[in-house]
Amino acid sequence: MSAAFWVCASVTAISSYVSLGYSIAGLRGATAETRVGFAYALARSVALAVAATVAFFVGSSDYLVAVAVAMVIVQAADAVVGARFGDRVTTYGPAATAAANAAALVSLLAGG
């Protein structure tokens, strides 16, 4: 496995773990009205974190590309949500993570 594989896998995993952490924090602080939404976010985040972790053990670039694309989409969508609510932290953080993950993905696809 190339350095580009390890970088992409690492960025993808970190991205998924940060998303998981926000989901856990959101669920812990949720009200009765918002609990269901945060539970769905947590379920999505657990699945993506597991998929990102598995990439290290599978060693398949094709598998990693699929997971990385999913995380880029998730983080970009999270940035849009943050922008919609006017929150700079939840806009720029996910946007930067999506950009970093996309750059690592492009490097992997370019054979770097």
Side-chain angles (χ1 to χ4, degrees):
M1 290 177 280
S2 68
F5 177 92
W6 290 107
V7 169
C8 187
S10 297
V11 172
T12 301
I14 290 167
S15 174
S16 72
Y17 302 151
V18 169
S19 182
L20 177 60
Y22 273 104
S23 297
I24 291 168
L27 185 59
R28 293 178 90 187
T31 64
E33 294 83 27
T34 61
R35 189 161 182 79
V36 171
F38 280 109
Y40 279 115
L42 179 61
R44 170 200 81 176
S45 295
V46 166
L48 288 168
V50 168
T53 302
V54 167
F56 289 101
F57 300 100
V58 172
S60 166
S61 291
D62 290 339
Y63 178 87
L64 177 56
V65 166
V67 177
V69 166
M71 282 312 305
V72 169
I73 292 168
V74 165
Q75 292 293 1
D78 285 350
V80 170
V81 170
R84 184 170 181 268
F85 287 99
D87 185 340
R88 288 183 180 180
V89 171
T90 59
T91 300
Y92 297 126
T97 304
N101 211 159
L105 178 58
V106 167
S107 177
L108 176 66
L109 292 172

